[in-house]
Amino acid sequence: MNKITTSFCLLILSSTLLTAQTGKLIPLTERVNVQGDSARTSQIIDGCWVAVGTNKTHAIQRDYTIPFKGKPSYRFELQTDDNTLEGYGKGETKGRAEFSYCYATANDFKRQPKSVYTQAQVMKTVYHHGKGICPQGSSRDYQFSIYVPSALDANVSTIFAQWHGMPDRTLVSTPEGEVKKLSVEEFLALSERMTFKKNIAHDKIVKLDKAGQPQKDARGNIVYKIGKPNGWLVEQGGYPPLAFGFSEGYFYIKANSDRKWLTDKTDRCNSNPAKVEIMKPVTSEYKASTIAYKMAFADFPKDCWITFKVHIDWTVYGKEAETILKPGKLDVRMEYSDQGKKINRTLVNNQKVLIGRNDEDGYYFKFGIYRVGNSTVPVCYNLADYSER
């Protein structure tokens, strides 16, 4: 097995094995909740990824039929009935089958008290202790490749690559509207009496049996039911600061920014590629959403490997002051071959743009399928060749 480095961590099977396996799709069905759990060795894919989302056998597969530079790629697929998540709007659904470059393992907690891991599970910050984090306000280069088949429906609504924020749930808003950052102990005490559904806190109510005694589960733990919202809110995040995807008949690159210290989930500032001009941000009081580039889906190259090279200077925020200290920049280049001719295109030319979130921690990369907008249109394409530096 070839040694994996951060500069090239995908697709480690040798060309000899590739030849032997040609024509095969190998399902990858292990999944990790990166916020709440560490990854076991068996769940780590090619030394640098863990998978999230539905674990149906067709969702993520190692693909020997469409290799990238002589090595197998990854095939991602969601069928009509594969949406398993609640959407942004009432009654809407979303579907996910992705790789996360950021995750933690048991080794990341080895030199710390056992309580650190259990506390991180409650706070959903396990992955904050792991690999793959790009620090807040920093600069970084990324590269990845996608193969889109000509059979893909133009009506798909999917994000195939996204950079995600890392919200800290110890940042809360009280019922009186005071925003404050709790200590670990204060948050754990709060979670003892509340359940959080997304960013909204609900009282825990003890379930009683017919005799009026607290019900317990098989492990002897008291069973609770979820009460009404109690006015507390926790930081949960929002739209990805950068996304590459297909929607409304377009390929698009979208940069989002949120300078609010505690994200306002009711603020749905989000640009539509079919309605918004390139580099003309849609804004609200705290947020900005910019279509940095778009192309008609019909013009997007099909049945070939396309490599994206991305440079990001993440916006620098003023934390509690909720200010912009330094705008960001985005540069995107696309490379592919057309009938043997190498094509190099600049999609975003080192443009100044607001891009990021006002979190203490930074960002991490995911690619795959994140089907949004209540869409159930089948999606299937291949991805490979990720690196960051």
Side-chain angles (χ1 to χ4, degrees), residues 156-191:
V156 294
S157 185
T158 178
I159 294 171
F160 61 80
Q162 62 173 308
W163 288 256
H164 212 280
M166 302 185 72
D168 181 355
R169 283 154 56 94
T170 63
L171 185 63
V172 303
S173 175
T174 69
E176 295 72 37
E178 179 188 2
V179 175
K180 59 183 181 179
K181 187 170 174 59
L182 303 180
S183 67
V184 172
E185 292 73 22
E186 288 173 327
F187 181 83
L188 294 174
L190 201 68
S191 65

Side-chain angles (χ1 to χ4, degrees), residues 284-357:
S284 61
E285 184 177 359
Y286 295 97
K287 297 182 179 181
S289 182
T290 306
I291 299 297
Y293 180 82
K294 65 180 178 180
M295 173 196 299
F297 180 84
D299 296 331
F300 190 87
K302 312 292 196 307
D303 300 323
C304 65
W305 281 107
I306 298 169
T307 295
F308 290 101
K309 296 182 177 181
V310 183
H311 176 82
I312 306 172
D313 293 339
W314 295 101
T315 296
V316 180
Y317 299 92
K319 297 188 178 181
E320 294 94 334
E322 300 182 328
T323 54
I324 301 292
L325 300 181
K326 183 181 178 182
K329 285 186 178 181
L330 178 63
D331 190 87
V332 182
R333 301 175 192 275
M334 181 172 75
E335 298 179 358
Y336 62 99
S337 293
D338 182 11
Q339 297 181 348
K341 182 180 178 181
K342 190 171 183 179
I343 308 295
N344 292 286
R345 299 179 59 181
T346 297
L347 306 187
V348 186
N349 191 11
N350 204 31
Q351 291 283 319
K352 184 182 291 186
V353 65
L354 294 177
I355 178 170
R357 288 180 42 79

